[in-house]
Amino acid sequence: TIQYAEKDTQIDAHYLIPGKRPWTDQYRISAGFIQDEYRDKPSTLYTLEVSENRELWGGKRTLALRYLVEEYSDFGVIKKSSNFLLPSIGFVKTTTSDLLDPRDGYRLELLARGGVDALLSDQNFAQVYMQW
C-alpha cells in the first residue's frame, strides 16, 4: 500500500502465510514507513510487525509483536528518536442479521498492548482499548 499526500506519506508491505485452517487462520509479517508533519513537527515512523490471526469464539483473535522507531524534530532543530517493542493481543467479533442488508447486530473490539523500558522500549506504558 502506498499513500502520498503533501503532509503524510505512508508505505506498507504485508506478507501473509496461511495457518493450520487457511480460511480463518494466518500469520502476517508487515513493514511500514510513515513520514508525517504534524503541527510543523516532522516525524518519521518505521515499523516491523509479526502477528498471528485465529478464529476464536466466532470472532478473530490477534497476537502481535511490533517494533516501532520514531524520529522527530522539535522546532526543526533538535532531532530525537524513540524506540518501542509492543506486544499486543486483540479480539474482534461482528454479528449481523444479514451481511447484504444489516438491520441489527453488534461489533465488539478489544485491544491490550504495552511497552516495558527493560525490553527495548523507551517508556513503560499500557494501553487498553474497547469498542462496542
Side-chain angles (χ1 to χ4, degrees):
T1 307
I2 297 175
Q3 176 184 3
Y4 178 77
E6 185 177 333
K7 294 197 177 222
D8 183 20
T9 300
Q10 182 172 347
I11 300 171
D12 293 309
H14 310 284
Y15 183 69
L16 300 176
I17 302 166
K20 192 173 186 177
R21 296 181 307 183
W23 54 94
T24 58
D25 301 347
Q26 66 185 7
Y27 302 95
R28 180 176 169 156
I29 301 168
S30 303
F33 167 82
I34 300 172
Q35 196 167 34
D36 190 14
E37 189 172 318
Y38 179 72
R39 295 187 182 170
D40 298 323
K41 290 186 179 185
S43 71
T44 304
L45 227 65
Y46 304 94
T47 61
L48 182 62
E49 180 176 325
V50 292
S51 63
E52 176 197 47
N53 300 305
R54 286 210 173 173
E55 183 178 347
L56 181 67
W57 302 317
K60 185 179 196 179
R61 189 259 304 147
T62 302
L63 295 174
L65 186 62
R66 174 182 282 192
Y67 184 65
L68 182 138
V69 176
E70 182 178 16
E71 297 174 345
Y72 54 95
S73 299
D74 280 338
F75 308 108
V77 179
I78 303 167
K79 190 156 190 163
K80 297 181 180 181
S81 179
S82 295
N83 301 296
F84 294 96
L85 183 64
L86 306 169
S88 66
I89 184 168
F91 179 76
V92 176
K93 182 174 182 173
T94 303
T95 302
T96 182
S97 59
D98 185 352
L99 289 175
L100 298 177
D101 186 22
R103 302 217 183 263
D104 61 276
Y106 68 89
R107 181 174 193 275
L108 171 65
E109 182 175 355
L110 304 166
L111 174 68
R113 66 179 161 199
V116 178
D117 64 359
L119 297 174
L120 299 177
S121 292
D122 288 345
Q123 298 289 322
N124 292 321
F125 79 95
Q127 182 179 35
V128 177
Y129 174 82
M130 182 179 144
Q131 182 178 14
W132 177 265

